[in-house]
Amino acid sequence: MFRKILVATDLSLASEQVIGAVSGLRALGTKEVLLIHCLNIRDVGSLAETLSKLLQPALNEQQAKLTAAGFETSAEIRIGIPGIEINRTAQEKDCSIIVIGSHGYNLTKDILLGGVTTAVLHTATRPVLVIKIQPGKENQPPAAWNPLNHILYPTDFSDNAEAAFLYLEKIVESGAEKVTLLHIQDQIIGVHLKDRLEVFNRIDRERLERLAERLRAKGKLEIAIDIIYGMVAPEIIKKINELPASMVVMGTQGRGHIGELFLGSVSNKVVRLSPVPVLLVPLIR
């Protein structure tokens, strides 16, 4: 499921943090990396060929780092609308996930300037692993990352959450050490049903226990279950920091966001504020 991945880069110093984090994906079985740099046709116009030649050495340098890390690598400069081109290339090359960086705070400041991370997430048909760029550390060697250390899986029991859980099962098969299964009783909804909160907690704990049993069938690991009452996105971020989590696995849409664009959803808030990588899994119908 993670054997071949697409890594999007803007060739900046900040993108070196993304390149460094990719090494951690060997633990998930990643063998092959396709490194992509996209030139926005709207910006470069007739200069595309000239710019491609100028940028090729920098792309080759990042490719060499991935090769030295033990991956089978290839690299391409693509010309088009970056968000569309990245998703199209992932499908064309049959990549299992897309890896992209973001500064967070707001998605107009993401690593691929012009809102490319946002655009990729809007139209993704493959899971997208968003790597948080640590501000002020562009010139420092990337920190080692072990995605299998402690994975946080927030769920609202929606179809999209189940799609994300299938990826979590594969991660557990790869040797995950610990997983925390988290459900937030939404404070906004709960204000009208607070007198039944104990009943909801019991039902949802049983649901989480069933998920835990599915994970135990996939590997030997420590599993924690937590149910919290509060505002969903802030509670997820709080839990990430408390654990601390090494990675978050979640769906891009929940039960309350049918037909909603990615912007403004819980997943958007989590990916903006999470200090650790977030694997966002879309629901493909």
Side-chain angles (χ1 to χ4, degrees):
M1 188 173 279
F2 299 94
R3 189 185 188 284
K4 182 178 181 180
I5 67 172
L6 183 150
V7 177
T9 176
D10 71 349
L11 303 175
S12 67
L13 282 175
S15 70
E16 293 293 330
Q17 293 185 32
V18 179
I19 299 300
V22 170
S23 295
L25 295 177
R26 286 180 301 182
L28 300 181
T30 300
K31 304 292 185 183
E32 187 175 350
V33 177
L34 172 59
L35 186 64
I36 292 291
H37 176 68
C38 292
L39 290 173
N40 194 326
I41 188 62
R42 293 173 178 167
D43 298 330
V44 301
S46 60
L47 295 174
E49 185 175 348
T50 300
L51 288 172
S52 294
K53 291 179 180 178
L54 290 173
L55 293 170
Q56 192 65 52
L59 185 65
N60 292 343
E61 185 177 337
Q62 289 193 340
Q63 180 186 0
K65 291 179 181 179
L66 291 170
T67 301
F71 297 106
E72 178 185 342
T73 64
S74 57
E76 299 180 16
I77 294 178
R78 296 257 174 156
I79 301 167
I81 307 301
I84 296 172
E85 193 66 25
I86 289 168
N87 280 317
R88 188 183 70 79
T89 303
Q91 288 185 294
E92 177 188 304
K93 301 293 186 177
D94 195 26
C95 298
S96 54
I97 68 170
I98 296 168
V99 180
I100 197 166
S102 174
H103 283 290
Y105 309 113
N106 65 72
L107 288 181
T108 63
K109 293 182 179 179
D110 49 13
I111 180 173
L112 297 172
L113 299 178
V116 176
T117 298
T118 303
V120 169
L121 291 166
H122 264 303
T123 57
T125 58
R126 307 291 169 103
V128 180
L129 179 65
V130 181
I131 306 292
K132 179 62 58 68
I133 302 301
Q134 300 300 320
K137 297 184 178 180
E138 288 82 358
N139 292 311
Q140 299 179 21
W145 174 53
N146 176 14
L148 298 176
N149 182 42
H150 193 160
I151 300 155
L152 177 64
Y153 170 71
T155 178
D156 61 357
F157 308 110
S158 63
D159 289 346
N160 198 174
E162 172 62 22
F165 189 80
L166 297 178
Y167 277 83
L168 179 60
E169 287 182 310
K170 292 296 183 181
I171 293 170
V172 168
E173 288 179 346
S174 297
E177 300 168 20
K178 186 172 182 177
V179 171
T180 291
L181 305 175
L182 175 67
H183 177 64
I184 311 292
Q185 303 291 15
D186 195 333
Q187 183 175 312
I188 295 176
I189 299 173
V191 70
H192 305 291
L193 303 168
K194 203 167 183 180
D195 59 326
R196 299 188 61 194
L197 191 58
E198 186 175 336
V199 175
F200 294 152
N201 285 345
R202 177 178 55 79
I203 293 170
D204 291 335
R205 182 166 291 277
E206 290 173 355
R207 288 172 164 179
L208 293 176
E209 290 288 358
R210 287 194 290 271
L211 294 178
E213 285 304 311
R214 286 172 59 181
L215 293 182
R216 292 187 184 101
K218 299 293 182 179
K220 294 181 179 180
L221 74 162
E222 183 180 349
I223 301 175
I225 289 175
D226 203 357
I227 297 177
I228 298 170
Y229 176 80
M231 300 296 290
V232 179
E235 291 295 343
I236 293 173
I237 296 301
K238 182 179 177 182
K239 180 59 68 172
I240 290 170
N241 289 300
E242 284 178 352
L243 292 177
S246 57
M247 180 169 65
V248 180
V249 177
M250 64 187 298
T252 58
Q253 297 290 344
R255 290 184 298 184
H257 302 284
I258 297 175
E260 180 185 328
L261 291 176
F262 181 83
L263 291 175
S265 67
V266 169
S267 51
N268 173 46
K269 295 172 185 175
V270 171
V271 80
R272 283 193 294 114
L273 298 173
S274 171
V276 302
V278 180
L279 180 65
L280 294 168
V281 181
L283 178 61
I284 308 302
R285 297 185 183 279

